[in-house]
Amino acid sequence: MLRTDRPGVTSTITPPAPEAPPARLDNGSPSRRAVLAATGVALAAAACAPANGGGAPTTTTTPTPPGPDPTSPPPPAPTTLPPTVPPTGGEGVTARIAIDKLTFGPRPGLAAAIEARGVWGWIDDQLDPVGRNVAHAEQRVSGYTTLTNTHRQNYDVQDSDGGWDRIIEELDHATIQRAVYSDRQLYEVMCDFWTNHFNTWRQKTWMTFLKNRSHETVVRPNALGKFSTMLLASAQDTAMLDYLDNLPSDASQPGGVNENYARELMELHTLGMVGGVQPFTEADVRGVAKIISGWSINWDDNANRYNFRFNPWQHSRDAVTVLGGAFTRPARTYGQGYDDGVRLVNLLAHHPTTARHIAWKLCRRFVSDTPSDALVTSAAAVFTANDTAIAPTLRHIFASPEFVAGHKKKVRRPFEHLVGALRALDATMPTAAQTQTTDKLRATLENLGQPIFERHSPDGYPDVNTFWVSSEGFLQRWAMAGRLARNRLTDPGQPDAIVVNLPALLPSPAPATVADLIRWVATNLANSPINDTDVADLCTACSFSPTAASTTVSGDATKLALAVGLVLCHPTFQQR
Amino acid sequence: MTNPAVPSLMSTLSRRGFLAGSGALVASATFGTKLAFASPESPASGDVIVLVFLRGGMDGLSMVAPFQMPSYRTLRPTIRVKDASEVADPANAGLPLVAGGAVDPFALSGVFALHPGMAALHSTAWADGKLAVVHAAGMPATESSTRSHFDSMRNWEVGSAALGQTTGFLNRYLNDVGADRIAGISGGSALARSLAGPVPAYSMGSIAGFGVSGFSNNTKATNAITRWYDSGTGDVVAQVGADTMGAVSTVRSINWSDPRFAVQNGATYPGSWFSSALREVAQLIRANIGLRAVCLDVGGWDTHSDMGAPEDPNGYFRGRCRELADGLAAFYRDLGTQMDEVTVATISEFGRTIDENGTGGCDHGRGSAMLVMGGGIKGGVHGPFVPSITNGPEDDLTVLNDYRTVMAEVLTVRGGATHPGTLFPTWTPAAPLGVCR
């Protein structure tokens, strides 16, 4: 598994090393290349290239993400489409519930758009794997070349002056911007879900740059598509294989085959745990590790360097039978065996235990921490009947009465809470990736306890309320709300700040009284109505007169920011 | 390979006094009222227990090495701890754990040496006879022999492999000793799972930052939030919010600049966040807020590769040991005679394989070493150990000492708990190892 600040994996393979990449100085520290050369990192060593026999692929073509062309403007609003009839069981879903449960949070105009489209018309638009009727936000990140570069190109970026920072910040800022500004909210929520499901920690090894292309090829093309496609993409993702130590896994070496990826492939990505017990044996782990040995990386000094490659010299050619005989293959000759791995990954993707595991995780994300066994079972059946397609599985979950009953039963995790606050206050932020805004957002997420893309363990960030509800967690998120509402999340005196314009959000005509104003903010900006007692308490605490004209608060920037910031601290806004 | 000189980006991120813990939550049904401000003079009736969780699977055979055993020497050719005759600079040799001076005789005297990175503890707490070691410690195989990080951490923190166990063992401990006020704290933004349960416990990033902030008028904001978060509604968000505001009120009413909170006895805390956290723990102990249990995390122990030779001052594992030992030694010195009311214990979710692998490290194993430090602790290496370590079928150090036997002794003899069976419901009670005086 992983650890922080650890040196790279070494191997006993010592073939001729390739030409060393140019040395780079990083803020005056020793060149990474020099350090790597001194310790003989495996990755350079594994670049010896014996004959590639037997039809194994040398690279994967990086698939183009389907859907809207990122350089084109977003499509027009879908005003002429007929609303969809609610499925049986889904009649109780209101716009308020849809916003809380299927998006990162309310945004001005969203509720009206949902009402106009009809709730289920809007949901089906959101479920469309290519988002035909919904605007994306890709034009905001069109300048982020590390997202569209090849791995080789991103290596060059990371190796350049300040390049490591750019690798990190482009991915982080793109992720936040997409979550805040894309109208394909359910899709972005699912990207967050799968990023955690297939978690890798980009700083475990020096190949941080792999994560950028990884994110664009594993998660983003498949988040509402087929799980089986995404699983295979993940199994051939060099970021994943590097993170879980499969790159140097080598059957011909004394250290032998590495079991880390094989274990997590089953325990975390597919079969999961059943009743606290592994539904696979240690012998299965060893067998799967043999099948996956050789699923590695291309070290050739060409444009495909750092892409996935099946390296036959690393692959175990033993006969393998695992999972109670569900998978078996005979002994293979040199160069064979790649297809066995594809077959195994597909078997795991389609395994009924995997269907239950994925269904359960989806129910935990969208319904509550304790979904019923009946719902999990039925969702798993839909998953299997649709050849592991994610969208129909979600639709089934959303159409259950349990989904409606689960409203406000999940606590917003810090990333969701921050994005939700930015959306609720219609914050604007620069599209440039390396500004004080990026730094501040990253620092804020670290303080909140969910640093973006910095989960060290492969299980991803926990999706259970108990993990996120604690004193420090609350104090931090309340502080964030207070700062954001008064334009202090970033430094307003510096360029590239996050800007919140509260007066622009208020309705016209204005609410009559201060109490009316607070109620309006809670209901319409936060999508979380608060009761009269709590409105009165806020007025008392802030020395507002509840019956005075609302302009006594809305006309005073300090008072308005205090009131709005506090509304985002109310218990009901912590929940979705 | 990550470059230890991290790029500028990381250094711009603020680090607070403690840092990330892991873990779960607290939900309070029975302790529903807002915290009353209790007299700061009322003493606790047992030690403050400081649980340090070494995350990743700490290689006990490196930290506490059976350095003379022939099998140890052959199974760990490059990463074994060397004796003084093998290295030029004595600072790079293992530090023998032998009886003598303040350390009463013990059966395993001379068998082990501490990793040279542990020097700060060897010359202080060990020399004073206040550092105990229990080796081959872990969760017994009859209950669970998992080598999964997540599962094992969870098992250790709830004190049982049983699925139905959802509270942390330290929360059950707080319940046993009748804790009140701010009885349990874990460092970081999330509450440690070992403290999760019905008794209110708190995550804390730093003393200075523990309060409502960010608003133009934090007093008004505090007022509003305190009114909104109502205990007794059964809603966990409201309850935790209410407990939080009670704890904030207590912490913010203390004058932390008072001289009694200054570092004492000439102790010097090194620069790591772990040390900063310990320094604040010392202050929190002195504040008499009812503190009974503290959880801190130290990461980076999952040493699958490149641990480095122990005699190399720049070796990776040596650096981990140094951070741990230097921090604990500073804490020990700072507290001085107050260490008579504090017990520190280190645990880790498992140890590592006996023989080193092909990449200069070790893979997930089973038994590891626990450290226990405090004024009421009996120095020495306690509990059984094998006469010679050998590779078993899974290449692990068999667990000979249930870690809960150690914790039960500490929590009862030092902590004042009276129902160890409730603390560890699936533990098979065993005689204490004599870690406590």
Side-chain angles (χ1 to χ4, degrees):
Chain A
M1 223 195 76
L2 53 100
R3 70 183 222 207
T4 60
D5 303 323
R6 82 180 191 123
V9 178
T10 58
S11 164
T12 52
I13 304 177
T14 50
E19 175 190 314
R24 168 179 71 86
L25 293 176
D26 190 359
N27 298 320
S29 54
S31 151
R32 286 173 189 245
R33 302 293 90 73
V35 177
L36 292 171
T39 57
V41 176
L43 315 175
C48 68
N52 185 3
T58 51
T59 64
T60 47
T61 52
T62 50
T64 315
D69 172 4
T71 60
S72 69
T79 53
T80 56
L81 296 163
T84 310
V85 175
T88 309
E91 300 87 350
V93 182
T94 61
R96 190 178 306 292
I97 291 173
I99 290 172
D100 274 353
K101 285 225 167 268
L102 305 185
T103 77
F104 281 110
R107 196 160 169 225
L110 179 57
I114 295 176
E115 299 285 5
R117 179 77 180 92
V119 173
W120 277 97
W122 180 86
I123 293 177
D124 281 336
D125 288 345
Q126 292 286 314
L127 284 167
D128 180 8
V130 296
R132 265 169 282 254
N133 298 326
V134 196
H136 56 78
E138 293 305 290
Q139 63 282 6
R140 295 185 66 97
V141 303
S142 60
Y144 294 19
T145 53
T146 63
L147 301 182
T148 51
N149 279 349
T150 63
H151 285 315
R152 178 64 193 256
Q153 290 167 331
N154 276 337
Y155 166 85
D156 290 335
V157 171
Q158 178 170 311
D159 203 49
S160 66
D161 222 25
W164 191 89
D165 287 2
R166 190 171 135 214
I167 290 282
I168 296 273
E169 293 185 290
E170 281 194 359
L171 181 59
D172 291 0
H173 202 54
T175 303
I176 294 171
Q177 289 199 84
R178 284 160 161 165
V180 174
Y181 295 110
S182 175
D183 288 341
R184 293 192 66 196
Q185 279 289 294
L186 178 61
Y187 167 71
E188 294 298 337
V189 168
M190 291 312 296
C191 286
D192 180 53
F193 177 90
W194 294 117
T195 297
N196 278 289
H197 183 80
F198 290 111
N199 191 63
T200 65
W201 183 43
R202 59 191 167 178
Q203 295 200 64
K204 182 188 175 189
T205 75
W206 66 273
M207 294 202 286
T208 300
F209 65 89
L210 292 176
K211 184 69 171 179
N212 292 40
R213 197 73 195 119
S214 160
H215 190 61
E216 298 295 309
T217 57
V218 175
V219 170
R220 291 193 69 82
N222 299 304
L224 285 173
K226 285 199 173 174
F227 175 77
S228 55
T229 308
M230 188 162 35
L231 182 69
L232 186 61
S234 172
Q236 300 191 341
D237 170 26
T238 44
M240 174 65 74
L241 298 171
D242 181 38
Y243 170 66
L244 290 181
D245 305 315
N246 213 65
L247 295 186
S249 178
D250 190 323
S252 70
Q253 292 305 306
V257 154
N258 187 291
E259 295 174 12
N260 205 0
Y261 178 63
R263 182 186 302 279
E264 310 309 2
L265 173 64
M266 290 191 287
E267 183 176 331
L268 295 178
H269 301 164
T270 58
L271 306 174
M273 300 283 274
V274 179
V277 177
Q278 282 174 202
F280 52 89
T281 64
E282 290 299 311
D284 288 336
V285 174
R286 290 191 282 272
V288 170
K290 286 183 177 179
I291 298 294
I292 297 293
S293 59
W295 284 45
S296 187
I297 193 170
N298 182 341
W299 286 112
D300 293 347
D301 191 11
N302 58 31
N304 294 321
R305 187 174 171 110
Y306 309 113
N307 288 356
F308 172 77
R309 184 175 69 188
F310 176 73
N311 292 339
W313 61 92
Q314 293 176 239
H315 182 66
S316 165
R317 300 189 285 283
D318 291 350
V320 171
T321 299
V322 290
L323 299 172
F327 177 91
T328 186
R329 73 115 190 240
R332 295 300 192 194
T333 60
Y334 184 87
Q336 292 181 323
Y338 167 75
D339 294 331
D340 298 324
V342 175
R343 187 162 54 90
L344 174 64
V345 169
N346 278 321
L347 183 142
L348 287 171
H350 290 90
H351 198 286
T353 306
T354 298
R356 272 202 70 87
H357 181 213
I358 301 299
W360 177 77
K361 286 189 77 169
L362 292 173
C363 288
R364 277 255 278 213
R365 176 94 293 257
F366 289 104
V367 178
S368 74
D369 283 351
T370 51
S372 72
D373 194 68
L375 181 60
V376 171
T377 302
S378 61
V382 173
F383 183 80
T384 299
N386 284 274
D387 195 32
T388 77
I390 295 155
T393 310
L394 290 176
R395 195 177 202 268
H396 172 84
I397 293 170
F398 301 160
S400 75
E402 204 170 321
F403 174 75
V404 171
H407 186 217
K408 293 300 194 190
K409 291 286 191 297
K410 290 288 292 188
V411 172
R412 289 197 156 98
R413 300 186 294 183
F415 180 75
E416 296 150 29
H417 193 258
L418 173 64
V419 171
L422 291 166
R423 284 172 59 81
L425 303 190
D426 206 16
T428 60
M429 69 175 77
T431 56
Q434 295 184 270
T435 67
Q436 65 147 336
T437 286
T438 315
D439 289 344
K440 247 330 181 335
L441 290 173
R442 297 183 72 247
T444 299
L445 284 166
E446 178 168 353
N447 288 337
L448 291 172
Q450 196 180 11
I452 187 170
F453 292 114
E454 296 299 337
R455 176 74 175 173
H456 292 193
S457 49
D459 57 346
Y461 283 113
D463 193 358
V464 63
N465 294 345
T466 53
F467 186 82
W468 300 109
V469 180
S470 72
S471 43
E472 180 74 16
F474 274 0
L475 292 170
Q476 289 288 342
R477 63 173 67 196
W478 296 334
M480 180 275 290
R483 288 196 183 97
L484 178 66
R486 65 187 182 102
N487 268 312
R488 289 295 184 282
L489 199 60
T490 50
D491 181 348
Q494 298 297 319
D496 301 313
I498 295 172
V499 177
V500 161
N501 183 350
L502 294 181
L505 304 177
L506 299 181
S508 182
T513 67
V514 169
D516 292 331
L517 172 67
I518 293 168
R519 265 189 288 271
W520 186 93
V521 167
T523 302
N524 295 285
L525 291 188
N527 196 44
S528 302
I530 62 181
N531 63 37
D532 292 344
T533 308
D534 286 355
V535 172
D537 280 342
L538 175 57
C539 292
T540 305
C542 297
S543 309
F544 299 157
S545 163
T547 53
S550 68
T551 47
T552 59
V553 169
S554 62
D556 179 323
T558 303
K559 289 180 179 171
L560 182 58
L562 180 62
V564 173
L566 281 172
V567 167
L568 298 182
C569 295
H570 192 276
T572 191
F573 187 69
Q574 314 309 305
Q575 297 160 313
R576 40 176 283 270
Chain B
M1 166 190 294
T2 48
N3 190 325
V6 292
S8 60
L9 183 67
M10 293 307 290
S11 65
T12 66
L13 297 180
S14 67
R15 299 216 140 199
R16 298 191 126 231
F18 292 85
L19 226 121
S22 64
L25 132 126
V26 69
S28 172
T30 51
F31 289 75
T33 57
K34 294 196 172 78
L35 289 174
F37 182 72
S39 159
E41 306 310 316
S42 60
S45 52
D47 282 6
V48 178
I49 308 297
V50 180
L51 186 71
V52 178
F53 204 122
L54 308 177
R55 301 280 175 189
M58 187 276 288
D59 185 26
L61 288 171
S62 281
M63 183 179 283
V64 185
F67 67 138
Q68 315 278 27
M69 282 187 185
S71 55
Y72 172 78
R73 289 165 170 255
T74 51
L75 291 169
R76 291 189 162 208
T78 69
I79 61 168
R80 66 181 181 84
V81 170
K82 315 295 188 294
D83 69 44
S85 68
E86 302 179 88
V87 294
D89 183 347
N92 297 328
L95 302 156
L97 297 180
V98 291
V103 183
D104 291 344
F106 61 97
L108 294 170
S109 178
V111 171
F112 296 99
L114 285 179
H115 193 286
M118 303 295 289
L121 274 183
H122 190 259
S123 60
T124 56
W126 173 264
D128 291 349
K130 300 195 192 296
L131 179 71
V133 175
V134 177
H135 220 311
M139 180 74 79
T142 47
E143 188 159 344
S144 172
S145 57
T146 183
R147 289 168 192 76
S148 153
H149 288 285
F150 333 106
D151 284 351
S152 196
M153 286 186 197
R154 175 251 169 216
N155 292 346
W156 280 65
E157 291 184 279
V158 304
S160 168
L163 281 189
Q165 186 57 264
T166 54
T167 60
F169 77 87
L170 283 178
N171 198 282
R172 297 195 292 280
Y173 166 69
L174 295 183
N175 191 42
D176 184 311
V177 298
D180 69 331
R181 298 176 290 151
I182 303 178
I185 295 179
S186 72
S189 51
L191 185 69
R193 196 185 333 224
S194 50
L195 275 171
V199 177
Y202 303 91
S203 56
M204 183 184 286
S206 69
I207 294 175
F210 197 73
V212 172
S213 63
F215 292 87
S216 57
N217 187 318
N218 289 316
T219 306
K220 290 181 174 175
T222 300
N223 196 332
I225 291 170
T226 303
R227 288 165 181 271
W228 280 344
Y229 284 79
D230 242 338
S231 58
T233 62
D235 174 61
V236 84
V237 167
Q239 184 61 65
V240 170
D243 291 340
T244 298
M245 296 313 288
V248 162
S249 175
T250 301
V251 170
R252 294 270 64 85
S253 68
I254 294 169
N255 176 14
W256 297 98
S257 316
D258 189 280
R260 71 186 170 113
F261 296 119
V263 174
Q264 295 177 18
N265 304 310
T268 309
Y269 286 93
S272 70
W273 64 262
F274 175 63
S275 294
S276 312
L278 286 170
R279 180 167 52 74
E280 296 211 342
V281 171
Q283 293 176 307
L284 291 163
I285 291 171
R286 290 180 169 131
N288 278 320
I289 52 175
L291 192 58
R292 299 301 297 272
V294 177
C295 292
L296 295 176
D297 281 351
V298 183
W301 299 94
D302 189 28
T303 52
H304 284 279
S305 68
D306 300 295
M307 292 173 70
E311 63 271 21
D312 175 5
N314 298 317
Y316 176 81
F317 190 84
R318 185 155 166 178
R320 299 280 81 226
C321 288
R322 231 184 350 253
E323 181 182 86
L324 177 68
D326 290 359
L328 290 178
F331 180 70
Y332 175 84
R333 182 159 180 183
D334 180 8
L335 283 176
T337 54
Q338 279 185 293
M339 275 305 297
D340 291 345
E341 290 145 19
V342 177
T343 297
V344 179
T346 71
I347 60 175
S348 190
E349 68 265 34
F350 39 68
R352 306 195 79 83
T353 49
I354 294 177
D355 64 347
E356 54 180 272
N357 62 26
T359 55
C362 303
D363 299 308
H364 299 181
R366 292 273 294 129
S368 189
M370 292 175 68
L371 305 180
V372 189
M373 178 180 83
I377 298 304
K378 188 175 199 299
V381 181
H382 306 287
F385 194 75
V386 288
S388 171
I389 51 170
T390 54
N391 265 340
E394 299 278 9
D395 196 22
D396 302 322
L397 183 63
T398 304
V399 170
L400 299 177
N401 297 298
D402 192 325
Y403 82 100
R404 294 166 295 186
T405 303
V406 179
M407 293 311 306
E409 182 184 351
V410 165
L411 295 176
T412 52
V413 175
R414 297 308 310 165
T418 49
H419 300 94
T422 315
L423 298 184
F424 299 113
T426 58
W427 164 61
T428 303
L433 299 178
V435 166
C436 305
R437 291 193 180 279

